[in-house]
C-alpha cells in the first residue's frame, strides 16, 4: 500500500517536472514565423512578453532554422518608446509611437495590448500561401488577425487585417491599419506620386529623414486626384532599374488612404498603411468582423525593372479582371464631339472606326437627360434615359448601326454622381451626399450619391443592368467618377442610427457591393475605370475592371513620362491610351505612344489627310500584330525620359522570339545630338539571332535601320542598337524577330 502511494507520488512529481520543464521551455522558446517568397523573407517573432515583432526583412536564408537567431542581432532599448518593430502596434498601453490600431472599448477604456495567440499557414496552390496570425488583448475580448498572402514566384505579398471582438457593446475603431511593416537599413528612398487633373503620376523621390512622411487622401471619391497610394521604397540607394533592393507598393483601396513612413530613433523605418482614419471612427458591433483593405507589394533585390515585371505577371494572372485575356481597340467620341452630337454624326464615326481598323466605338458623355438635357457638364447627370432629340431611336439603334458598320459599341456612364439640375436630384434629395443645413458645394457642377444607402446601390446597379438588359450586344462600359465628396453627410446613416463617421468607408463598401453584383451577372464585359482622368486605378477596383484611363492628358510627350511612371505598378494591358489632338507632335508620334498600352483614338478620322489615314490604318494593323507582346509580354524600361533626351521602352514575348521597342525624342531643343549612343536591349535570349526592323513608318519616309542585318541577343543586350532618334525621326518603333 505504502509502496503504491510512494509510486503515485513519484509519478505525479515526474509529471509535474515534465509540465514545468515544458512550460519554462515554452516561455523561453520564442515563436518564429518566417513568411517567404522565392527570394525574400519577412520574419516575425514573439518576445518574452509574447508581443510579436518583425525581426527580419531581407533575402531568404539558405537554412530556415537560422531565422530564429535574427532577433539576437538587435539590441533595442525598449524602455522609453515602446517596440518600434511591433507587427501591429497598438495604442494606449506601452506604445508611445505612431500606432497601427487605436480603439475605444465598449466600457470607454482607450487601452489596447495585442499578444501572440496562434498562427497557421495554408497552401492555396503551388505558388500561393496564406499565413494568418491571431493577436489577442489579454484583458478585453478583442482580437486582430493579420493576413499575409504570398505569391512565391512573383515575390508579391498582400497584407490585410481583420478586427473582431465580443465585448458587450460596440468598440470604436479610431485607427485600423492594413499593415505595419518594419525595415532595418542605413538609408531609405521613397518615391511618391503627386497628381492633379491632367497631371497625374508626377514622381518625387526623397531620402527619408527622421519624422513621419505621410501620403494620404481625404477626398472621399476620386480619391487619387491629388496623391496616389502607389510608392517605391528603395534601400540604400535611390531606386534604380536593374539593381538594388526595392519595394513597389500600393494600398488597394478606392477611398481615403493614409500611408505613414516613420523613421524611428534607431533610423529604421516603420510603414503603417491603411484607410485614412480622418473623420472615420468606426463603431464595430460585437461578433462582426472589420476587414481592412490590402497593402500589396512586390519585392526585388534587382531593382525596379524586375519588381515591375513580377507585379505585372501577378496582376495579369491573379488580380485584374480577365488580365490574361484580350482587349478591344476603340474610337472614342469625347474629344471629337464633346456634348455636341446626334445619330447622324455618330453613325459617321462608326464608319471611321471601321476604316481605322479598331474593334469598337465608344460613345462618351452627353447621350442622356430630357427634362435637363446633358448638353454640358452642368445638367442631366443621374437621368439615364436617352436624350430623344440627340438619339430619337435610342441606344439599341446605335448598337445595331455600329454592328452593321462592322464595329462593336460601348458607352460612358457616371452612375455614382448627380447634377442638381436633374430629375434624380428633384426626386431623391435624400440620396445625395450633402449637409442639409449648409449651402451645397459643387465639383464640376455635381454632387455624389450616397452609396452607403442600399437603395442607391440598387439604383447604380440598375443603371448598368438596364443598359445590358435592353442592349445585350453592348460590348464595353466606360465608368467615370468626376467628383470628390464635399459636405460629407448621409441622410441614410442618420436614419438607420449609424454614425456619420462611417460614410467615407461605407461609400467604398457600397461601390464594391454594386460591382460584385454586376460581375456576378456580367462576368466578362470589359469595363474601363475612369475618374476625370486618373483619379482612380487601384488593385481593388481592378478586380472588377479590365482597364483604366490614366489621364485626360494625352499630349504625347507628357504621356511618355506618365505611362513610364504608371508602368512601375501596372501592366500595359490595363492602361488605356488614346490618340487625340492634344499637343503639337505629329500623328505618328501620337499613335506610337498610344500603342504602348491599349490603343484607342479620340479624333475625327475624316479630318485626317490621305497620308495620315494611311499611316493610322497601317499602325493599327501593326498594333494588332504585336499587341499580344505589349499586353502579355515582359516590359523593360530601357532609357529613362526623366534623365535623358530620349525614352526607350521594350516589350518581349515570354518565349523571347519577338520583341517590340519604342523610342522617342523627349527633348527637342535645337541641335540636340541624340543619335550618338546605342540603346542596350534587355530580356532577349543571348544565344538567339535576331533581326531588327523599323515599323510604323510614315508614308514617304524610309527607315535608317538595316532590316537584314543579324545580331545575337548577346550583342543587342551588351552593345545595343542605335534607334537613330533625332529631330527628323522623333519616334521610332522597332520590331525584333528571331531569325528562324
Ligand atoms: C472625364 C473623362 O476623363 C473624360 O475622358 C470624359 O469621359 C469626360 N469625363 C466626360 O465628361
Amino acid at each position: 500500500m505504502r509502496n503504491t502511494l510512494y509510486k503515485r507520488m513519484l509519478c505525479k512529481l515526474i509529471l509535474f517536472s515534465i509540465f514545468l520543464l515544458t512550460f519554462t521551455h515554452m516561455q523561453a522558446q520564442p515563436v518564429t514565423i518566417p513568411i517567404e517568397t522565392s527570394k525574400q523573407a519577412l520574419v516575425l517573432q514573439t518576445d518574452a512578453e509574447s508581443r510579436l515583432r518583425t525581426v527580419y526583412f531581407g533575402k531568404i536564408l539558405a537554412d530556415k532554422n537560422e531565422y530564429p537567431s535574427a532577433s539576437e542581432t538587435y539590441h533595442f532599448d525598449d524602455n522609453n518608446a515602446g517596440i518600434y518593430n511591433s507587427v501591429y502596434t497598438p495604442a494606449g498601453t506601452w506604445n508611445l509611437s505612431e500606432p497601427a490600431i487605436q480603439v475605444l472599448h465598449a466600457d470607454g477604456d482607450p487601452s489596447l495590448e495585442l499578444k501572440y495567440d496562434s498562427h497557421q499557414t495554408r497552401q492555396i496552390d503551388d505558388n500561393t500561401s496564406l499565413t494568418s496570425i491571431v493577436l489577442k488583448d489579454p484583458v478585453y475580448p478583442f482580437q486582430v488577425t493579420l493576413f499575409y498572402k504570398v505569391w512565391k514566384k512573383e515575390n508579391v505579398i498582400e497584407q490585410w487585417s481583420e478586427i473582431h471582438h465580443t465585448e458587450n457593446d460596440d468598440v470604436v475603431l479610431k485607427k485600423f491599419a492594413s499593415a505595419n511593416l518594419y525595415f532595418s537599413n542605413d538609408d531609405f528612398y521613397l518615391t511618391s506620386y503627386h497628381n492633379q487633373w491632367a497631371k497625374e503620376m508626377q514622381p518625387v523621390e526623397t531620402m527619408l529623414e527622421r519624422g513621419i512622411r505621410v501620403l494620404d487622401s481625404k477626398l472621399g471619391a476620386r480619391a487619387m486626384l491629388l496623391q496616389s497610394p502607389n510608392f517605391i521604397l528603395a534601400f540604400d540607394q535611390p531606386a534604380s532599374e536593374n539593381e538594388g533592393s526595392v519595394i513597389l507598393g500600393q494600398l488597394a483601396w478606392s477611398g481615403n488612404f493614409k500611408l505613414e513612413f516613420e523613421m524611428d530613433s534607431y533610423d529604421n523605418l516603420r510603414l503603417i498603411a491603411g484607410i485614412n482614419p480622418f473623420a472615420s471612427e468606426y463603431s464595430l458591433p460585437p461578433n462582426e468582423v472589420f476587414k481592412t483593405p490590402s497593402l500589396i507589394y512586390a519585392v526585388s533585390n534587382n531593382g525596379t525593372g524586375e519588381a515591375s515585371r513580377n507585379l505585372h505577371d501577378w496582376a495579369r494572372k491573379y488580380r485584374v479582371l480577365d488580365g490574361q485575356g484580350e482587349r478591344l481597340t476603340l474610337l472614342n467620341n469625347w474629344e471629337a464631339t464633346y456634348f455636341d452630337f446626334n445619330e447622324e454624326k455618330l453613325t459617321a464615326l462608326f464608319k471611321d472606326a471601321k476604316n481605322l481598323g479598331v474593334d469598337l466605338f465608344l460613345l462618351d458623355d452627353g447621350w442622356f437627360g430630357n427634362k435637363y438635357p446633358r448638353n454640358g457638364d452642368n445638367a442631366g447627370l443621374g437621368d439615364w434615359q436617352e436624350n430623344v432629340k440627340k438619339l430619337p431611336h435610342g441606344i439599341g439603334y446605335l448598337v445595331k448601326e455600329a454592328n452593321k458598320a462592322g464595329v462593336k459599341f460601348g458607352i460612358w456612364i457616371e452612375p455614382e454622381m448627380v447634377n442638381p439640375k436633374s430629375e434624380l436630384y428633384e426626386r431623391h434629395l435624400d440620396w445625395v451626399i450633402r449637409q442639409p443645413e449648409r449651402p451645397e458645394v459643387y465639383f464640376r457642377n455635381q454632387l455624389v450619391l450616397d452609396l452607403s444607402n442600399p437603395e442607391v446601390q440598387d439604383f447604380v446597379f440598375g443603371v448598368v443592368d438596364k443598359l445590358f438588359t435592353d442592349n445585350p450586344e453592348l460590348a464595353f462600359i466606360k465608368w467615370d467618377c468626376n467628383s470628390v465628396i464635399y459636405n460629407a453627410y448621409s441622410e441614410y446613416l442618420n436614419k438607420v442610427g449609424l454614425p456619420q463617421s462611417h460614410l467615407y468607408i461605407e461609400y467604398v463598401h457600397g461601390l464594391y457591393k454594386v460591382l460584385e453584383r454586376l460581375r456576378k451577372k456580367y462576368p466578362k464585359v470589359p469595363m474601363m475605370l475612369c475618374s476625370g482622368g486618373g483619379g482612380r486605378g487601384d488593385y481593388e477596383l481592378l478586380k472588377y475592371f479590365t482597364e483604366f484611363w490614366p489621364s485626360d492628358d494625352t499630349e504625347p510627350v507628357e504621356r511618355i513620362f506618365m505611362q513610364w511612371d504608371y508602368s512601375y505598378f501596372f501592366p500595359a494591358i490595363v492602361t488605356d491610351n488614346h490618340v487625340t489632338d492634344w499637343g503639337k507632335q505629329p500623328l505618328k508620334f501620337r499613335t506610337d505612344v498610344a500603342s504602348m498600352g491599349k490603343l484607342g483614338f479620340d479624333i475625327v478620322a475624316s479630318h485626317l489627310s490621305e497620308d495620315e489615314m494611311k499611316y493610322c490604318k497601317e499602325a493599327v494593323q501593326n498594333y494588332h500584330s504585336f499587341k499580344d507582346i505589349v499586353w502579355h509580354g515582359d516590359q523593360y524600361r530601357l532609357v529613362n525620359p526623366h534623365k535623358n533626351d530620349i525614352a526607350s521602352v521594350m516589350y518581349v514575348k515570354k518565349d523571347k522570339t519577338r520583341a517590340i521597342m519604342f523610342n522617342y525624342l523627349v527633348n527637342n531643343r535645337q541641335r540636340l545630338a541624340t543619335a550618338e549612343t546605342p540603346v542596350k536591349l534587355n530580356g532577349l535570349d543571348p544565344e538567339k539571332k535576331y533581326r531588327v526592323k523599323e515599323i510604323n513608318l510614315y508614308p514617304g519616309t524610309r527607315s535608317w535601320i538595316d532590316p537584314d542585318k543579324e545580331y545575337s541577343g548577346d550583342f543587342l543586350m551588351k552593345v545595343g542598337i542605335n534607334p537613330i532618334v533625332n529631330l527628323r525621326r522623333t519616334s521610332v518603333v522597332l520590331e525584333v524577330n528571331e531569325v528562324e
Side-chain angles (χ1 to χ4, degrees):
M1 185 69 182
R2 269 180 104 197
N3 206 6
T4 336
L5 201 69
Y6 173 74
K7 270 188 186 163
R8 270 197 200 150
M9 277 180 66
L10 194 72
C11 210
K12 275 188 181 164
L13 200 72
I14 292 171
L15 278 174
F16 183 67
S17 320
I18 292 174
F19 168 76
L20 214 65
L21 266 172
T22 328
F23 186 71
T24 4
H25 184 71
M26 265 170 57
Q27 284 288 298
Q29 197 66 36
V31 179
T32 306
I33 311 171
I35 294 161
E36 280 187 328
T37 68
S38 62
K39 303 266 172 60
Q40 194 75 7
L42 165 61
V43 182
L44 317 176
Q45 192 177 67
T46 52
D47 62 12
E49 309 271 346
S50 288
R51 293 173 185 145
L52 195 61
R53 301 173 173 224
T54 303
V55 293
Y56 180 69
F57 187 94
K59 293 180 184 165
I60 51 167
L61 299 187
D63 181 0
K64 267 190 181 199
N65 294 322
E66 287 195 297
Y67 283 130
S69 311
S71 56
E72 292 160 19
T73 56
Y74 295 95
H75 293 281
F76 289 152
D77 166 13
D78 297 333
N79 291 335
N80 51 3
I83 50 171
Y84 292 134
N85 60 344
S86 164
V87 295
Y88 201 69
T89 322
T93 46
W94 48 266
N95 164 56
L96 302 176
S97 55
E98 191 58 37
I101 181 165
Q102 187 183 6
V103 307
L104 207 57
H105 291 285
D107 63 4
D109 185 282
S111 68
L112 184 67
E113 170 67 293
L114 289 172
K115 298 217 172 179
Y116 169 82
D117 177 76
S118 59
H119 78 279
Q120 57 164 333
T121 298
R122 186 163 62 82
Q123 202 61 36
I124 296 174
D125 58 37
D126 279 1
N127 191 36
T128 322
S129 64
L130 179 64
T131 299
S132 53
I133 305 169
V134 179
L135 307 176
K136 285 188 174 165
D137 188 324
V139 174
Y140 285 90
F142 184 98
Q143 71 176 57
V144 177
T145 310
L146 306 177
F147 290 88
Y148 301 79
K149 195 167 180 181
V150 170
W151 288 270
K152 227 179 161 116
K153 183 165 162 254
E154 292 79 12
N155 292 287
V156 170
I157 302 180
E158 177 180 10
Q159 264 186 258
W160 72 94
S161 320
E162 289 184 8
I163 303 168
H164 173 253
H165 71 89
T166 53
E167 299 188 17
N168 53 18
D169 207 343
D170 292 3
V171 170
V172 179
L173 309 181
K174 288 166 159 270
K175 192 172 182 188
F176 29 85
S178 302
N180 182 175
L181 283 160
Y182 190 72
F183 309 106
S184 176
N185 216 67
D186 285 344
D187 292 318
F188 301 95
Y189 292 82
L190 176 70
T191 309
S192 52
Y193 296 87
H194 303 271
N195 308 332
Q196 270 179 44
W197 175 75
K199 263 186 138 193
E200 288 85 348
M201 288 303 269
Q202 309 289 315
V204 175
E205 185 169 46
T206 39
M207 191 174 106
L208 292 171
E209 305 281 355
R210 287 273 174 92
I212 305 183
R213 172 133 168 78
V214 176
L215 309 177
D216 82 337
S217 168
K218 305 184 191 77
L219 307 179
R222 198 176 175 176
M224 297 177 202
L225 176 62
L226 301 175
Q227 295 203 49
S228 129
N230 299 305
F231 65 90
I232 300 178
L233 189 61
F235 297 81
D236 285 331
Q237 57 178 38
S240 123
E241 193 64 5
N242 296 312
E243 57 183 31
S245 297
V246 291
I247 291 179
L248 305 188
Q250 181 196 76
L251 187 84
W253 177 245
S254 320
N256 294 346
F257 57 84
K258 188 169 193 181
L259 295 109
E260 293 161 288
F261 297 82
E262 180 181 16
M263 184 85 104
D264 70 18
S265 54
Y266 300 112
D267 284 338
N268 290 325
L269 187 68
R270 308 177 69 231
L271 165 57
I272 296 174
I275 293 176
N276 196 336
F278 164 76
S280 290
E281 286 192 354
Y282 198 91
S283 298
L284 183 67
N287 295 310
E288 283 189 15
V289 172
F290 183 88
K291 184 177 179 209
T292 71
S294 297
L295 178 74
I296 294 167
Y297 51 98
V299 189
S300 169
N301 297 306
N302 299 308
T304 45
E306 184 183 86
S308 285
R309 283 185 292 282
N310 279 336
L311 197 53
H312 296 172
D313 282 345
W314 168 84
R316 286 182 294 226
K317 189 157 179 209
Y318 299 106
R319 194 68 173 202
V320 175
L321 187 87
D322 201 19
Q324 293 177 302
E326 299 289 302
R327 296 293 184 269
L328 297 166
T329 52
L330 58 82
L331 174 67
N332 189 195
N333 73 312
W334 174 239
E335 293 185 17
T337 65
Y338 291 104
F339 297 96
D340 178 21
F341 56 80
N342 56 27
E343 283 175 351
E344 214 184 323
K345 266 196 192 174
L346 294 181
T347 40
L349 291 176
F350 300 162
K351 290 190 190 108
D352 284 351
K354 180 65 189 167
N355 206 10
L356 281 168
V358 296
D359 305 309
L360 175 125
F361 175 81
L362 170 63
L363 174 59
D364 215 284
D365 196 354
W367 57 268
F368 48 88
N370 284 301
K371 181 171 175 191
Y372 302 104
R374 180 76 170 167
N375 292 328
D377 63 14
N378 63 339
L381 203 55
D383 300 345
W384 298 104
Q385 299 81 34
E386 294 97 326
N387 177 280
V388 290
K389 272 204 186 131
K390 288 184 194 171
L391 307 178
H393 300 97
I395 299 294
Y397 168 79
L398 293 178
V399 178
K400 277 201 201 90
E401 286 302 302
N403 292 354
K404 256 198 244 164
V407 287
K408 295 173 194 278
F409 185 86
I411 202 160
W412 177 97
I413 50 173
E414 193 181 3
E416 300 159 68
M417 311 272 159
V418 64
N419 282 130
K421 251 182 158 185
S422 71
E423 293 183 74
L424 180 70
Y425 178 91
E426 288 173 351
R427 265 199 329 271
H428 273 299
L429 199 55
D430 56 325
W431 285 5
V432 180
I433 295 178
R434 59 194 283 283
Q435 283 282 352
E437 305 301 333
R438 291 185 188 277
E440 288 175 351
V441 185
Y442 306 122
F443 193 107
R444 206 197 187 206
N445 305 308
Q446 65 195 57
L447 293 162
V448 182
L449 293 176
D450 178 7
L451 269 170
S452 73
N453 182 344
E455 281 181 28
V456 176
Q457 293 167 21
D458 287 346
F459 169 80
V460 174
F461 172 83
V463 171
V464 189
D465 190 38
K466 185 167 183 321
L467 280 169
F468 283 132
T469 318
D470 292 352
N471 309 288
E473 289 178 53
L474 190 65
F476 188 85
I477 295 267
K478 174 177 176 184
W479 182 307
D480 210 343
C481 159
N482 282 290
S483 177
V484 303
I485 296 179
Y486 287 133
N487 277 341
Y489 184 89
S490 156
E491 205 165 310
Y492 167 77
L493 289 176
N494 228 15
K495 207 167 80 189
V496 296
L498 285 170
Q500 286 298 323
S501 56
H502 285 208
L503 179 57
Y504 287 127
I505 294 174
E506 291 311 334
Y507 180 87
V508 182
H509 285 158
L511 176 64
Y512 294 158
K513 278 187 201 156
V514 171
L515 292 165
E516 199 65 42
R517 261 170 90 186
L518 278 173
R519 281 314 184 185
K520 274 217 173 90
K521 197 160 173 192
Y522 308 102
K524 277 222 158 169
V525 187
M527 295 209 297
M528 178 208 283
L529 180 60
C530 175
S531 188
R536 269 180 178 168
D538 64 72
Y539 276 122
E540 196 56 34
L541 280 176
L542 283 169
K543 284 178 175 172
Y544 310 101
F545 288 83
T546 47
E547 54 217 74
F548 73 92
W549 181 234
S551 174
D552 277 350
D553 185 354
T554 45
E555 196 290 311
V557 176
E558 282 304 318
R559 195 75 181 199
I560 289 170
F561 288 79
M562 213 183 272
Q563 289 173 202
W564 177 278
D565 288 299
Y566 270 115
S567 83
Y568 286 103
F569 306 95
F570 300 103
I573 193 170
V574 307
T575 52
D576 289 346
N577 306 320
H578 294 177
V579 178
T580 70
D581 286 329
W582 282 52
K584 294 190 181 115
Q585 300 295 333
L587 187 73
K588 169 175 161 52
F589 193 103
R590 288 180 268 151
T591 311
D592 293 351
V593 172
S595 298
M596 298 190 297
K598 200 205 80 170
L599 173 67
F601 289 83
D602 195 348
I603 48 173
V604 185
S606 55
H607 293 175
L608 298 178
S609 71
E610 207 176 302
D611 274 353
E612 283 178 329
M613 193 63 193
K614 192 164 169 230
Y615 171 77
C616 276
K617 285 172 80 156
E618 197 181 306
V620 173
Q621 250 177 36
N622 286 341
Y623 181 77
H624 285 305
S625 79
F626 66 65
K627 67 188 179 190
D628 176 55
I629 309 175
V630 174
W631 293 350
H632 305 120
D634 287 325
Q635 186 197 35
Y636 291 85
R637 289 178 290 262
L638 303 177
V639 183
N640 186 341
H642 290 288
K643 297 181 182 157
N644 298 279
D645 293 330
I646 70 165
S648 198
V649 177
M650 81 185 277
Y651 301 85
V652 184
K653 203 169 168 196
K654 291 274 178 191
D655 67 6
K656 298 178 186 296
T657 55
R658 276 185 83 196
I660 181 93
M661 180 188 180
F662 297 88
N663 310 276
Y664 308 98
L665 185 69
V666 291
N667 181 351
N668 55 11
R669 276 155 50 207
Q670 285 298 315
R671 294 195 302 111
L672 263 182
T674 54
E676 281 162 358
T677 49
V679 176
K680 287 187 188 119
L681 277 64
N682 207 334
L684 299 173
D685 180 345
E687 307 284 316
K688 286 193 195 317
K689 288 273 184 200
Y690 297 93
R691 281 199 194 101
V692 180
K693 181 181 164 205
E694 182 169 358
I695 59 168
N696 283 10
L697 283 165
Y698 197 75
T701 60
R702 65 170 188 89
S703 176
W704 294 17
I705 312 284
D706 177 0
D708 298 319
K709 193 166 163 62
E710 288 183 16
Y711 305 90
S712 67
D714 189 46
F715 179 93
L716 290 173
M717 293 192 290
K718 286 181 181 158
V719 179
I721 189 165
N722 194 325
I724 322 183
V725 173
N726 56 40
L727 279 170
R728 276 184 288 162
R729 289 163 50 81
T730 53
S731 163
V732 175
V733 182
L734 300 176
E735 198 180 72
V736 183
N737 286 308
E738 185 189 1
V739 179
E740 302 280 331

